[in-house]
Every structure is written in C-alpha cells, then in structure tokens.
Amino acid sequence: MKVVITKSYEEMSMEAFSVMRAVVTAEPSAVLGLATGSTPLGLYRLMAEDHREKGTSYKKVRTVNLDEYVGLGPESDQSYAYFMRENLFRHLDIPPENTHIANGKAGDLAAECHRYNSLLGQLQRDIQILGIGSNGHIAFNEPGTPFGSETHVVALAESTIRDNARLFARAEDVPRKALTMGLKNIMHAKKIVILANGANKAGAVRGLVCGAVTEQLPASVLQLHPDCTLIVDEAAASLL
Ligand code: F6R
C-alpha cells in the first residue's frame, strides 16, 4: 500500500483530487466508486470547482456508491442519495441516470442487494474512494464481516451509530440498518484511494497499514489490493 501523509485536510483532499482527475481525464467514461461522510467533502468540492472552472466533463462518467441507510430515500436529507446529489452530482454535468446508489426504501431488500451486486459486476470501477470508520470499517462492513462478502444488509455497530449521530437531530434517528457493498465488491475496483483525517482515525489507520490482515479490522483487507493508496493528514497518521 502506498501511504501519502499530508499536512492538512485541504492537502489530503488536493492529493485525492489529483488522482481522481487523472482517472477521469484518461478515461472519460470512467466508473467511479464514491463514498459519503465528512472525509470526501473536500475532494468533491475540488471536483465541482474543476468542472466549473476548467470544464472537466462527467457526461459519460458512471458512479456507484458504497452504501445507503435502510428506510431512507433520495427525498430524505439524511439519505446518502441526497448527500451525493447536494455535495457532488448537481455541481457536475453527470446525467442522473449514470449515478447509482442502492435503494434504501426497496420493499424487498434481498432482491435489492442482488440487483445492486449484479450492477457492480457489470460496472468495474476504475477508482474507488473510501473513508474509514474509527472501528476500521469501510463502507458499512463492520468488524467481523467476511472478506468474501458481497452486497448485503447490515446492522450498524453501536460505535458507528454514535459516530454518525452528529449528523442527525437525535441519536435515536440514526437508522440501525444499511445496505452496503461487501469487501469483495470493494476489492474488485482497479484502483483504491482511502482517505482519513483527524486523530479519532489514528488507531484504525495504524491497523490498516501496520496491523494483521484480519476481519476484525475490515480495512486491513486493503493490504492485499495491488493498487491501493492511503492519503492521510498528520493527525490520522500520528500512530504510524
Ligand atoms: C460512507 C461510508 C463510511 C465512511 C466512514 C467514515 O459512504 O461508507 O464507511 O467512509 O464511516 O465517515 P466520515 O468520513 O464521516 O468520518
């Protein structure tokens, strides 16, 4: 795994953006695997600014997202579909039909997992952007998830519910379940860029880079990927 340590969140976002821009420029119909959460917001701002000012086009790009809360649809401002529209898609020229996120409101969740998993098989990602949870999760693959897992419904860990409660009015409002790509799906991407900032990620980052490859720290599976880059700020790198 290549490790890039940056001075700040802004510099981390710039480094990620330069990898992303190279992928989209080399392949105008690239497939991008995208994440939600606080970590990639700086990257998304830079992509929007670059599109506005330099005209980089996303007309032929396709995107797939890592995960979505069960019970929330695109109209809910806490859903990941809403997050992606507000923070990225509406600032680019990407056709909405080229953007894919699992449907958290599907009546039949098993069928939705199956549909999304087949889609991921058809759309091999040129790049997958990841954040990391303080417990080492990637997407919503919590500790203990098998490395061979594919798209599935997950009960969120208490620590993840606590971490994400900051984004909801009340902790009770955080959905308890989500649809998520599995670890095998994530590993299928040609290139992976994992981002982390802040001291609360330092323990997980240490496990990711220097720890054993273990299902107890799902991100550690990335040590087995042939083209994975970790971009971290100094606070998140403090235990390396
Ligand atoms: C989001 C996702 C999660 C986050 C992780 C870190 O789509 O899959 O794994 O990347 O929880 O979240 P933030 O960036 O908010 O610290």
Side-chain angles (χ1 to χ4, degrees):
M1 179 176 320
K2 186 174 158 199
V3 179
V4 179
I5 300 176
T6 62
K7 289 249 167 287
S8 61
Y9 176 78
E10 288 68 32
E11 204 188 308
M12 178 198 81
S13 305
M14 285 293 295
E15 288 284 339
F17 169 66
S18 68
V19 181
M20 175 61 87
R21 188 166 198 277
V23 168
V24 174
T25 317
E27 178 47 87
S29 56
V31 180
L32 314 180
L34 300 175
T36 57
S38 318
T39 311
L41 281 173
L43 163 65
Y44 296 161
R45 267 196 297 274
L46 291 167
M47 289 167 72
E49 193 181 292
D50 172 66
H51 168 67
R52 202 169 52 242
E53 291 172 8
K54 306 244 172 71
T56 303
S57 178
Y58 290 78
K59 270 198 180 118
K60 294 187 184 157
V61 162
R62 278 87 34 93
T63 67
V64 287
N65 259 80
L66 289 171
D67 40 22
E68 178 60 285
Y69 287 120
V70 167
L72 301 188
E75 69 296 339
S76 156
D77 61 5
Q78 305 288 4
S79 72
Y80 286 171
Y82 184 98
F83 174 102
M84 290 308 302
R85 194 172 65 234
E86 284 308 303
N87 290 298
L88 186 64
F89 299 148
R90 76 181 182 87
H91 305 288
L92 305 176
D93 58 350
I94 189 165
E97 62 275 19
N98 286 9
T99 66
H100 304 281
I101 301 186
N103 177 8
K105 288 193 97 171
D108 181 343
L109 292 174
E112 177 58 8
C113 288
H114 185 72
R115 180 196 72 81
Y116 201 68
N117 210 56
S118 310
L119 181 76
L120 295 175
Q122 290 155 26
L123 292 177
Q124 190 185 12
R125 282 143 285 154
D126 293 284
I127 183 169
Q128 175 67 58
I129 300 295
L130 296 174
I132 184 169
S134 59
N135 65 359
H137 73 220
I138 48 176
F140 275 135
N141 294 288
E142 301 286 17
T145 307
F147 286 162
S149 58
E150 299 193 300
T151 310
H152 60 285
V153 177
V154 62
L156 300 180
E158 275 309 314
S159 62
T160 300
I161 292 168
R162 270 198 309 278
D163 284 354
N164 290 4
R166 71 187 193 282
L167 306 168
F168 289 79
R170 298 168 309 166
E172 308 87 271
D173 296 340
V174 184
R176 268 35 191 178
K177 283 186 181 170
L179 291 162
T180 183
M181 272 189 207
L183 295 166
K184 186 173 167 194
N185 301 118
I186 291 173
M187 292 293 278
H188 187 232
K190 290 185 200 159
K191 176 189 281 300
I192 296 181
V193 173
I194 179 162
L195 307 175
N197 66 286
N200 65 323
K201 301 291 174 72
V205 165
R206 182 172 57 180
L208 159 65
V209 178
C210 323
V213 176
T214 164
E215 290 175 354
Q216 291 317 309
L217 193 107
S220 66
V221 73
L222 300 174
Q223 291 180 25
L224 306 178
H225 195 279
D227 183 0
C228 178
T229 303
L230 164 71
I231 309 177
V232 268
D233 74 351
E234 283 178 348
S238 60
L239 297 177
L240 288 182

